[in-house]
Short mmCIF file of all heavy atoms in Angstrom, two decimals:
data_model
loop_
_atom_site.label_atom_id
_atom_site.label_comp_id
_atom_site.label_asym_id
_atom_site.label_seq_id
_atom_site.Cartn_x
_atom_site.Cartn_y
_atom_site.Cartn_z
N LEU O 1071 -54.48 50.05 -210.46
CA LEU O 1071 -53.64 50.91 -209.63
C LEU O 1071 -54.48 51.58 -208.55
O LEU O 1071 -55.48 52.23 -208.86
CB LEU O 1071 -52.96 51.97 -210.52
CG LEU O 1071 -52.22 53.10 -209.81
CD1 LEU O 1071 -51.04 52.57 -209.02
CD2 LEU O 1071 -51.75 54.14 -210.82
N LEU O 1072 -54.07 51.39 -207.29
CA LEU O 1072 -54.72 52.10 -206.19
C LEU O 1072 -53.68 53.00 -205.54
O LEU O 1072 -52.75 52.54 -204.90
CB LEU O 1072 -55.29 51.10 -205.16
CG LEU O 1072 -55.99 51.70 -203.95
CD1 LEU O 1072 -57.23 52.50 -204.36
CD2 LEU O 1072 -56.39 50.63 -202.95
N LEU O 1073 -53.87 54.29 -205.74
CA LEU O 1073 -52.91 55.26 -205.21
C LEU O 1073 -53.38 55.68 -203.82
O LEU O 1073 -54.51 56.13 -203.65
CB LEU O 1073 -52.87 56.46 -206.16
CG LEU O 1073 -51.65 57.36 -206.14
CD1 LEU O 1073 -50.39 56.58 -206.43
CD2 LEU O 1073 -51.81 58.47 -207.16
N VAL O 1089 -51.24 62.06 -209.66
CA VAL O 1089 -51.93 60.88 -210.17
C VAL O 1089 -51.49 60.60 -211.60
O VAL O 1089 -51.19 59.46 -211.96
CB VAL O 1089 -53.46 61.10 -210.16
CG1 VAL O 1089 -54.19 59.91 -210.76
CG2 VAL O 1089 -53.96 61.34 -208.76
N GLU O 1090 -51.45 61.66 -212.40
CA GLU O 1090 -51.09 61.50 -213.80
C GLU O 1090 -49.66 60.98 -213.96
O GLU O 1090 -49.39 60.14 -214.81
CB GLU O 1090 -51.24 62.84 -214.55
CG GLU O 1090 -52.68 63.35 -214.62
CD GLU O 1090 -53.64 62.31 -215.20
OE1 GLU O 1090 -53.27 61.65 -216.19
OE2 GLU O 1090 -54.76 62.15 -214.65
N LYS O 1093 -49.64 57.25 -213.07
CA LYS O 1093 -50.34 56.52 -214.13
C LYS O 1093 -49.46 56.38 -215.37
O LYS O 1093 -49.41 55.32 -216.00
CB LYS O 1093 -51.62 57.27 -214.52
CG LYS O 1093 -52.87 56.68 -213.91
CD LYS O 1093 -54.06 57.59 -214.13
CE LYS O 1093 -54.56 57.59 -215.57
NZ LYS O 1093 -55.72 58.51 -215.72
N GLU O 1099 -54.48 50.73 -215.42
CA GLU O 1099 -55.72 51.46 -215.19
C GLU O 1099 -55.87 51.85 -213.71
O GLU O 1099 -55.56 51.06 -212.81
CB GLU O 1099 -56.87 50.55 -215.68
CG GLU O 1099 -58.25 50.97 -215.32
CD GLU O 1099 -58.85 50.04 -214.27
OE1 GLU O 1099 -58.25 49.00 -213.93
OE2 GLU O 1099 -59.92 50.37 -213.78
N LEU O 1100 -56.34 53.05 -213.48
CA LEU O 1100 -56.49 53.58 -212.11
C LEU O 1100 -57.85 53.16 -211.55
O LEU O 1100 -58.88 53.38 -212.16
CB LEU O 1100 -56.39 55.11 -212.16
CG LEU O 1100 -56.45 55.87 -210.84
CD1 LEU O 1100 -55.19 55.62 -210.01
CD2 LEU O 1100 -56.61 57.37 -211.09
N ILE O 1101 -57.82 52.54 -210.36
CA ILE O 1101 -59.08 52.10 -209.76
C ILE O 1101 -59.50 53.00 -208.59
O ILE O 1101 -60.67 53.07 -208.24
CB ILE O 1101 -58.98 50.61 -209.28
CG1 ILE O 1101 -60.35 50.03 -208.94
CG2 ILE O 1101 -58.06 50.45 -208.11
CD1 ILE O 1101 -61.02 49.34 -210.06
N GLY O 1102 -58.53 53.72 -208.01
CA GLY O 1102 -58.90 54.60 -206.91
C GLY O 1102 -57.75 55.46 -206.43
O GLY O 1102 -56.58 55.12 -206.62
N VAL O 1103 -58.10 56.59 -205.84
CA VAL O 1103 -57.11 57.47 -205.21
C VAL O 1103 -57.60 57.74 -203.79
O VAL O 1103 -58.68 58.29 -203.60
CB VAL O 1103 -56.96 58.79 -205.97
CG1 VAL O 1103 -55.93 59.68 -205.28
CG2 VAL O 1103 -56.57 58.55 -207.42
N ILE O 1104 -56.82 57.30 -202.81
CA ILE O 1104 -57.20 57.48 -201.42
C ILE O 1104 -56.37 58.62 -200.84
O ILE O 1104 -55.13 58.54 -200.83
CB ILE O 1104 -56.95 56.20 -200.58
CG1 ILE O 1104 -57.45 54.95 -201.31
CG2 ILE O 1104 -57.54 56.35 -199.18
CD1 ILE O 1104 -58.93 54.91 -201.59
N ALA O 1131 -63.54 57.58 -200.52
CA ALA O 1131 -62.68 57.22 -201.66
C ALA O 1131 -62.64 55.70 -201.85
O ALA O 1131 -62.62 55.20 -202.98
CB ALA O 1131 -61.27 57.77 -201.45
N ASP O 1134 -65.92 54.60 -203.47
CA ASP O 1134 -65.85 54.84 -204.92
C ASP O 1134 -65.04 53.73 -205.60
O ASP O 1134 -65.39 53.25 -206.68
CB ASP O 1134 -65.15 56.18 -205.22
CG ASP O 1134 -66.02 57.38 -204.87
OD1 ASP O 1134 -67.19 57.16 -204.47
OD2 ASP O 1134 -65.55 58.51 -204.98
N THR O 1135 -63.93 53.35 -204.96
CA THR O 1135 -63.05 52.31 -205.52
C THR O 1135 -63.81 51.00 -205.71
O THR O 1135 -63.67 50.33 -206.73
CB THR O 1135 -61.84 52.10 -204.58
OG1 THR O 1135 -61.17 53.36 -204.40
CG2 THR O 1135 -60.87 51.07 -205.14
N ARG O 1138 -66.03 51.07 -208.70
CA ARG O 1138 -65.26 50.89 -209.95
C ARG O 1138 -64.87 49.42 -210.13
O ARG O 1138 -64.91 48.89 -211.22
CB ARG O 1138 -64.01 51.77 -209.95
CG ARG O 1138 -64.34 53.25 -210.06
CD ARG O 1138 -63.09 54.11 -210.25
NE ARG O 1138 -63.42 55.47 -209.85
CZ ARG O 1138 -63.07 56.02 -208.69
NH1 ARG O 1138 -62.32 55.36 -207.83
NH2 ARG O 1138 -63.45 57.25 -208.40
N GLN O 1143 -68.92 53.33 -213.43
CA GLN O 1143 -68.10 54.50 -213.77
C GLN O 1143 -68.34 55.56 -212.69
O GLN O 1143 -69.45 56.03 -212.54
CB GLN O 1143 -68.54 55.08 -215.13
CG GLN O 1143 -68.30 54.17 -216.30
CD GLN O 1143 -66.93 54.37 -216.91
OE1 GLN O 1143 -66.21 55.30 -216.53
NE2 GLN O 1143 -66.55 53.51 -217.84
N VAL O 1144 -67.30 55.90 -211.96
CA VAL O 1144 -67.45 56.88 -210.90
C VAL O 1144 -66.36 57.94 -211.06
O VAL O 1144 -65.19 57.60 -211.20
CB VAL O 1144 -67.30 56.21 -209.50
CG1 VAL O 1144 -67.60 57.18 -208.39
CG2 VAL O 1144 -68.18 54.99 -209.39
N PRO O 1145 -66.72 59.23 -211.03
CA PRO O 1145 -65.68 60.26 -211.15
C PRO O 1145 -64.73 60.23 -209.95
O PRO O 1145 -65.15 59.88 -208.83
CB PRO O 1145 -66.47 61.57 -211.20
CG PRO O 1145 -67.82 61.25 -210.68
CD PRO O 1145 -68.07 59.80 -210.94
N PHE O 1146 -63.49 60.59 -210.16
CA PHE O 1146 -62.51 60.60 -209.06
C PHE O 1146 -62.69 61.84 -208.21
O PHE O 1146 -62.92 62.94 -208.72
CB PHE O 1146 -61.09 60.54 -209.63
CG PHE O 1146 -60.74 59.18 -210.15
CD1 PHE O 1146 -60.98 58.86 -211.48
CD2 PHE O 1146 -60.21 58.21 -209.32
CE1 PHE O 1146 -60.68 57.59 -211.97
CE2 PHE O 1146 -59.92 56.94 -209.79
CZ PHE O 1146 -60.15 56.64 -211.12
N ARG O 1147 -62.59 61.66 -206.89
CA ARG O 1147 -62.70 62.79 -205.96
C ARG O 1147 -61.40 62.94 -205.18
O ARG O 1147 -60.53 62.11 -205.26
CB ARG O 1147 -63.83 62.51 -204.95
CG ARG O 1147 -65.20 62.45 -205.60
CD ARG O 1147 -66.27 62.44 -204.54
NE ARG O 1147 -66.54 61.10 -204.02
CZ ARG O 1147 -67.31 60.85 -202.97
NH1 ARG O 1147 -67.84 61.86 -202.29
NH2 ARG O 1147 -67.52 59.61 -202.55
N PHE O 1148 -61.32 64.01 -204.46
CA PHE O 1148 -60.18 64.29 -203.55
C PHE O 1148 -58.84 64.42 -204.29
O PHE O 1148 -57.78 64.18 -203.73
CB PHE O 1148 -60.05 63.20 -202.47
CG PHE O 1148 -61.36 62.85 -201.85
CD1 PHE O 1148 -61.94 61.61 -202.09
CD2 PHE O 1148 -62.03 63.76 -201.05
CE1 PHE O 1148 -63.16 61.28 -201.53
CE2 PHE O 1148 -63.26 63.43 -200.48
CZ PHE O 1148 -63.82 62.18 -200.72
N LEU O 1149 -58.90 64.79 -205.57
CA LEU O 1149 -57.66 64.94 -206.33
C LEU O 1149 -57.11 66.36 -206.24
O LEU O 1149 -55.95 66.60 -206.49
CB LEU O 1149 -57.87 64.60 -207.82
CG LEU O 1149 -58.36 63.21 -208.17
CD1 LEU O 1149 -58.29 62.97 -209.66
CD2 LEU O 1149 -57.53 62.16 -207.44
N ASN O 1150 -57.99 67.29 -205.91
CA ASN O 1150 -57.56 68.68 -205.90
C ASN O 1150 -57.68 69.27 -204.50
O ASN O 1150 -58.42 68.76 -203.66
CB ASN O 1150 -58.40 69.49 -206.88
CG ASN O 1150 -58.21 68.97 -208.30
OD1 ASN O 1150 -57.09 68.85 -208.78
ND2 ASN O 1150 -59.32 68.62 -208.93
#
Side-chain angles (χ1 to χ4, degrees):
Chain O
L1071 170 64
L1072 179 63
L1073 201 58
V1089 177
E1090 295 306 318
K1093 259 170 73 180
E1099 169 251 353
L1100 183 70
I1101 192 92
V1103 179
I1104 314 299
D1134 288 356
T1135 303
R1138 290 187 201 103
Q1143 295 271 352
V1144 186
F1146 286 91
R1147 295 191 276 171
F1148 314 110
L1149 300 189
N1150 299 307

